Amino acid sequence: MTRSLWRHADFLKLWAAQAVSAFGARITREGLPLAAILTLDAKPAQLGLLAALSMGPGVILGLFAGGWADRSYRRPILIGSDLIRVLMLLSVPIAAWMHWLTMPQLYVVAAVVGAASLMFAIADHAYLPGLIGRDQLMDGNTKLGVTESVAEIGGPALAGVLFRVLSPPFALLVNAATYLVSALFLFAIRTPEPPPEVMPKARHPFEDLVFGFTAIRDQPLMRPLLTMTVLQTLFSSFFAGLYLLFAIKTLGLSTPLLGVIIAVGGVGALLGALIAPRAVKWLGLGPAILWLGLAGAISAAFIPLAPATVVGGAAVLILGQIFGDALAVAAMIPAGTLRQSVFPPSQLGRTGAVFHVARGAMSVVGALLGGAAAQVFGVRETMWVAVAGMVVSALIPFASPLRTLKALPD
């Protein structure tokens, strides 16, 4: 009989590490821009560069990180990524206390922390199957998904309290502490990690990424999911640069009300994490991924449907946050579990890096295209284009073997 993960001491340590780290990530997300605004009076262009640097280096690192994760033990990478984030974030309050804090320092911190977070995500995805049984992957991913959702609900609120009690640079002391606690939990794991497969070093910088892409291309269950991921990320990223503008300028919502609406998305994500295993049981693994993904894409229509009134607009956006985040998370959990199951452990880093790089690159392209299209056609009209693109993208995997996949393949 399979042991419950709540009785698996080392899984609980990994779960605790990720829980603490997830809250820390929300503090970082808000803390660095606020430190720039309130301490250094940063200009919009500087904030845009800060945001770009928090994502760009991670995408570049993703080109090479997968091979490193596959050739190495994953737990030291996780611990090292946490410790790098600790050191970089500690430098901000120290510099602020010494009156040395500058925007170039925040640029470096954002870039290094973003790259370390991407490395953590790639190694973490590859590490979990070696820690728990294959038949427990769905349960494990669900529990970790619940943690992420709770952090999305409570993390911004915690960050707000810290920024009010402490100034943003010194609130990052708490942020650094969360990553240190995460590293300590990971260090305490005692289950021996399966040794990495011996493989030659990459002969050229992109060989590992090409290998990961080839492995996905040749896997009929994964190929349609990668195609869908690329296209859906492209179109969904139209919303990234337009959502706040649409809510504030078109619908007339206040920033506090908008903050509440966004936080409701965390509640939706929590519901999605709880729904995922039940949907797989009722529909089967492949159909759950397909139908939940399609429903999530259709639910994006709530956003451009919102009427230009405060009450009506807020109500429709709340529905969009709840249904959209719930359905997206409910589809992502079984999709991630399937990816961990169909590839051998020696390929999880490289195949995972392909998905991370694809999402990161398409996020940048989509945000730029969405902004340019809105200038020409209007914000609401561009959002309808995004919805149509997301729905068409979600239909692509219906022509694949996923349509009849009831359980994890042998």
Side-chain angles (χ1 to χ4, degrees):
M1 186 176 178
T2 303
R3 176 175 50 157
S4 168
L5 288 180
W6 292 127
R7 297 181 181 179
H8 191 307
D10 284 335
F11 173 79
L12 291 178
K13 293 170 187 174
L14 176 66
W15 173 79
Q18 292 203 5
V20 176
S21 180
F23 275 89
R26 273 67 183 180
I27 302 173
T28 304
R29 186 178 66 190
E30 313 295 340
L32 288 178
L34 281 175
I37 294 169
L38 300 179
T39 305
L40 301 175
D41 194 26
K43 304 298 185 289
Q46 292 175 310
L47 293 174
L49 180 58
L50 185 68
L53 286 172
S54 69
M55 295 184 295
V59 174
I60 295 171
L61 177 65
L63 299 174
F64 319 102
W68 182 25
D70 281 343
R71 294 182 178 88
S72 311
Y73 285 95
R74 280 76 181 253
R75 189 164 68 102
I77 295 176
L78 297 174
I79 295 172
S81 299
D82 271 338
L83 294 179
I84 288 172
R85 291 186 284 190
V86 170
L87 294 175
M88 294 307 299
L89 290 170
L90 278 178
S91 73
V92 175
I94 292 173
W97 181 55
M98 301 294 293
H99 301 287
W100 293 342
L101 187 63
T102 62
M103 282 304 302
Q105 179 182 347
L106 290 183
Y107 293 150
V108 172
V109 171
V112 175
V113 169
S117 297
L118 185 332
M119 192 69 238
F120 187 99
I122 291 174
D124 178 55
H125 176 80
Y127 178 65
L128 182 63
L131 181 66
I132 62 178
R134 186 174 184 271
D135 59 337
Q136 294 180 301
L137 281 175
M138 179 66 71
D139 188 25
N141 284 318
T142 298
K143 287 177 168 56
L144 296 176
V146 168
T147 301
E148 284 288 328
S149 303
V150 172
E152 188 62 33
I153 299 169
L158 174 62
V161 172
L162 290 173
F163 299 150
R164 181 175 293 276
V165 175
L166 308 169
S167 64
F170 292 97
L172 293 176
L173 280 171
V174 179
N175 194 179
T178 63
Y179 292 124
L180 179 59
V181 171
S182 172
L184 292 174
F185 275 121
L186 291 167
F187 186 77
I189 292 175
R190 291 292 173 259
T191 300
E193 183 178 351
E197 183 176 312
V198 177
M199 61 184 76
K201 292 184 178 179
R203 291 168 296 179
H204 57 81
F206 300 107
E207 182 177 0
D208 287 328
L209 194 71
V210 171
F211 177 91
F213 174 78
T214 303
I216 295 170
R217 182 199 65 193
D218 295 341
Q219 166 49 254
L221 294 173
M222 286 292 106
R223 184 170 58 245
L225 289 183
L226 178 62
T227 304
M228 182 185 70
T229 296
V230 169
L231 294 176
Q232 277 216 320
T233 304
L234 173 68
F235 287 107
S236 65
S237 296
F238 280 28
F239 290 102
L242 303 178
Y243 187 88
L244 296 180
L245 181 66
F246 177 70
I248 293 173
K249 297 294 185 181
T250 304
L251 306 185
L253 306 186
S254 65
T255 51
L257 177 57
L258 186 56
V260 172
I261 292 171
I262 293 173
V264 169
V267 178
L270 175 59
L271 293 173
L274 298 174
I275 290 169
R278 292 170 174 80
V280 170
K281 183 178 179 180
W282 294 334
L283 303 173
L285 183 66
I289 296 171
L290 298 180
W291 288 108
L292 290 169
L294 177 60
I298 293 173
S299 72
F302 277 113
I303 299 174
L305 278 174
T309 62
V310 173
V311 175
V316 174
L317 289 187
I318 286 173
L319 290 175
Q321 288 285 348
I322 292 175
F323 284 101
D325 286 25
L327 293 165
V329 170
M332 284 191 297
I333 289 175
T337 301
L338 179 63
R339 180 152 51 95
Q340 289 170 323
S341 302
V342 298
F343 294 116
S346 61
Q347 297 180 8
L348 288 176
R350 287 168 289 179
T351 53
V354 172
F355 278 89
H356 281 287
V357 170
R359 278 192 291 263
M362 288 299 101
S363 293
V364 175
V365 174
L368 294 175
L369 285 178
Q375 285 285 110
V376 177
F377 303 110
V379 174
R380 195 186 293 269
E381 291 76 9
T382 301
M383 287 181 166
W384 277 118
V385 172
V387 172
M390 292 170 65
V391 172
V392 171
S393 303
L395 290 171
I396 291 173
F398 277 85
S400 74
L402 284 169
R403 191 177 65 256
T404 56
L405 180 68
K406 295 301 182 182
L408 290 175
D410 294 334

